Amino acid sequence: MSINKLQYPIATKPEFGVPMKVAEGIFLLKMPIPYALDHINLWLLRDGDGWTIVDSGFYSEQAVALWEAVLTGFCNNQPIKKIVITHFHPDHVGMAQWLAHRTKSTIHMSQIEFLTTQMACQTYSSEQKATRCQYFSRFGLAQTEVDQLQDRIGGYVTGVPEAPIAYQRLVDGQSLTINDEAWHLLQFSGHSPGHICLNNRQRKLLISGDQVLANISPNVSVNFYETEANPLADYLASLSSLSTLNNETTVLPSHGRVFKGLPERTEALTQGHHKSLNQLREFCQQAKTGLEVIEHMYGNRLNLFNLSLATGEAMAHLNYLIAVGDMSRSGETVYQYKTN
Ligand SMILES: [Zn+2]
């Protein structure tokens, strides 16, 4: 199969804060986020005499001003029926409580994403900080880097000053009615614990969140509070499931361009992970630390933020190999990984 042969049906480029029509009654709202990846795509869906919003943006004064302009201008002060949140990452959930308060609307998300948002907004206790530091040092990071990473704790709440206070639960396999149309809910793990995608089977439209993107391989990470997890297995299973949707489906992703070619894209992402796994089987013929694995996969010039992401992602690949019996881990203070 030729991979990455995607079609991009929308020729125009969206502007920040200006809703752009992508299908009948469906508008892309591009909002700024403070990462190297500078934007997120939110969705405004016509819903009877009002609107349903999918994802909310990273909280900032600029985002508040853009939302105010959209709600009073484009939405013409019409009622907001629902605020749907795909997952707990700050660029998706950050403005949810602000929007719920401002529009007197209700937040809809999966239970695990609601609870994870509450957890992520908490300040870490000293014991949690110590456990998180141990996760980095066991992976072979230098003490100076571990100390600096400890200092960076708390970045999440910049983008999510207030977690959702109340919500309605989205459940895998059920449908959400928007504008008298059924959107089938698909819940996946791997990128986040219970990420919701919305599939309109009738119109062959998938609001995919971060679960599948056209040009980026979504981060799949092991977290410090669940170090034996195998999120890559979950993520690969989600790709396998998504590959079975109608191959004419138009994908509305949270970053980058609207595309068609879901079977090709899920296949390319799957192959990309298997290529990394094969490289690690080869690289760890002789025992390696986690840091050596990170440098092999991503180079040795990562900034601190990317180093923390790379730790989670490298550990996800190593845990996958341990789970299938191809890798062994030894050591207490610093882990050593060796191919069986
Ligand atoms: Zn995400």
Side-chain angles (χ1 to χ4, degrees), residues 128 149 304 311:
Q128 280 174 305
L149 282 163
L304 216 51
T311 298

Side-chain angles (χ1 to χ4, degrees), residues 19-161:
M20 182 182 86
K21 184 175 174 180
V22 296
E24 198 51 48
I26 298 178
F27 297 81
L28 184 164
L29 174 59
K30 180 178 170 182
M31 290 290 245
I33 57 175
Y35 299 128
L37 179 68
D38 66 349
H39 74 279
I40 178 167
N41 302 328
L42 313 176
W43 307 99
L44 292 168
L45 278 63
R46 175 48 83 182
D47 195 352
D49 60 356
W51 299 90
T52 280
I53 295 167
V54 181
D55 280 334
S56 68
F58 189 100
Y59 186 91
S60 69
E61 281 180 24
Q62 185 191 6
V64 168
L66 289 173
W67 262 124
E68 280 292 353
V70 168
L71 293 171
T72 54
F74 179 82
C75 296
N76 202 20
N77 289 315
Q78 289 166 334
I80 302 303
K81 302 290 179 78
K82 308 174 197 68
I83 301 161
V84 176
I85 301 296
T86 58
H87 66 296
F88 84 98
H89 290 162
D91 43 338
H92 299 261
V93 77
M95 300 285 293
Q97 185 55 37
W98 180 87
L99 271 174
H101 183 79
R102 165 69 177 76
T103 66
K104 300 182 173 54
S105 185
T106 310
I107 296 166
H108 295 245
M109 56 199 297
S110 73
Q111 184 182 46
I112 188 70
E113 296 291 339
F114 173 78
L115 293 173
T116 306
T117 310
Q118 311 298 322
M119 184 183 76
C121 284
Q122 297 298 311
T123 308
Y124 290 144
S125 68
S126 55
E127 198 146 350
Q128 280 174 305
K129 286 183 185 180
T131 302
R132 187 168 175 272
C133 286
Q134 186 182 49
Y135 151 93
F136 289 119
S137 35
R138 275 184 170 160
F139 214 56
L141 274 64
Q143 192 58 48
T144 47
E145 286 161 340
V146 175
D147 291 344
Q148 284 173 306
L149 282 163
Q150 182 176 7
D151 290 341
R152 287 180 69 95
I153 288 171
Y156 185 86
V157 296
T158 310
V160 193

Side-chain angles (χ1 to χ4, degrees), residues 44-325:
L44 292 168
L45 278 63
R46 175 48 83 182
D47 195 352
D49 60 356
W51 299 90
T52 280
I53 295 167
V54 181
D55 280 334
S56 68
F58 189 100
Y59 186 91
S60 69
E61 281 180 24
Q62 185 191 6
V64 168
L66 289 173
W67 262 124
E68 280 292 353
V70 168
L71 293 171
T72 54
F74 179 82
C75 296
N76 202 20
N77 289 315
Q78 289 166 334
I80 302 303
K81 302 290 179 78
K82 308 174 197 68
I83 301 161
V84 176
I85 301 296
T86 58
H87 66 296
F88 84 98
H89 290 162
D91 43 338
H92 299 261
V93 77
M95 300 285 293
Q97 185 55 37
W98 180 87
L99 271 174
H101 183 79
R102 165 69 177 76
T103 66
K104 300 182 173 54
S105 185
T106 310
I107 296 166
H108 295 245
M109 56 199 297
S110 73
Q111 184 182 46
I112 188 70
E113 296 291 339
F114 173 78
L115 293 173
T116 306
T117 310
Q118 311 298 322
M119 184 183 76
C121 284
Q122 297 298 311
T123 308
Y124 290 144
S125 68
S126 55
E127 198 146 350
Q128 280 174 305
K129 286 183 185 180
T131 302
R132 187 168 175 272
C133 286
Q134 186 182 49
Y135 151 93
F136 289 119
S137 35
R138 275 184 170 160
F139 214 56
L141 274 64
Q143 192 58 48
T144 47
E145 286 161 340
V146 175
D147 291 344
Q148 284 173 306
L149 282 163
Q150 182 176 7
D151 290 341
R152 287 180 69 95
I153 288 171
Y156 185 86
V157 296
T158 310
V160 193
E162 201 174 6
I165 290 165
Y167 82 118
Q168 288 184 33
R169 193 189 304 179
L170 299 179
V171 176
D172 182 45
Q174 293 189 353
S175 284
L176 191 65
T177 303
I178 301 170
N179 210 31
D180 289 331
E181 292 177 347
W183 289 77
H184 187 232
L185 303 174
L186 304 164
Q187 184 172 322
F188 297 118
S189 188
H191 174 69
S192 71
H195 185 299
I196 290 287
C197 298
L198 298 97
N199 185 30
N200 188 322
R201 292 191 274 213
Q202 199 106 37
R203 293 174 65 188
K204 303 186 190 71
L205 293 170
L206 177 75
I207 296 178
S208 68
D210 281 351
Q211 201 68 26
V212 57
L213 306 166
N215 301 310
I216 301 166
S217 187
N219 181 262
V220 175
S221 273
V222 171
N223 291 303
F224 79 91
Y225 50 81
E226 194 186 357
T227 55
E228 307 306 309
N230 185 5
L232 185 54
D234 294 338
Y235 184 67
L236 292 173
S238 80
L239 292 178
S240 171
S241 170
L242 285 166
S243 74
T244 65
L245 300 188
N246 190 306
N247 56 17
E248 289 297 310
T249 297
T250 299
V251 182
L252 314 182
S254 291
H255 307 282
R257 297 179 70 182
V258 170
F259 70 94
K260 280 174 93 166
L262 191 55
E264 291 82 358
R265 186 59 190 142
T266 51
E267 177 64 17
L269 286 164
T270 303
Q271 284 184 19
H273 284 296
H274 281 294
K275 191 175 160 201
S276 299
L277 291 167
N278 282 333
Q279 285 170 348
L280 289 184
R281 286 182 180 98
E282 192 60 38
F283 182 64
C284 296
Q285 291 293 332
Q286 291 183 340
K288 296 287 192 296
T289 66
L291 184 63
E292 288 172 315
V293 169
I294 288 174
E295 291 178 347
H296 181 69
M297 290 178 82
Y298 310 106
N300 59 4
R301 293 169 172 273
L302 298 176
N303 65 29
L304 216 51
F305 178 67
N306 286 333
L307 185 62
S308 72
L309 291 181
T311 298
E313 182 111 3
M315 209 180 288
H317 285 80
L318 291 163
N319 281 7
Y320 181 94
L321 290 170
I322 291 169
V324 296

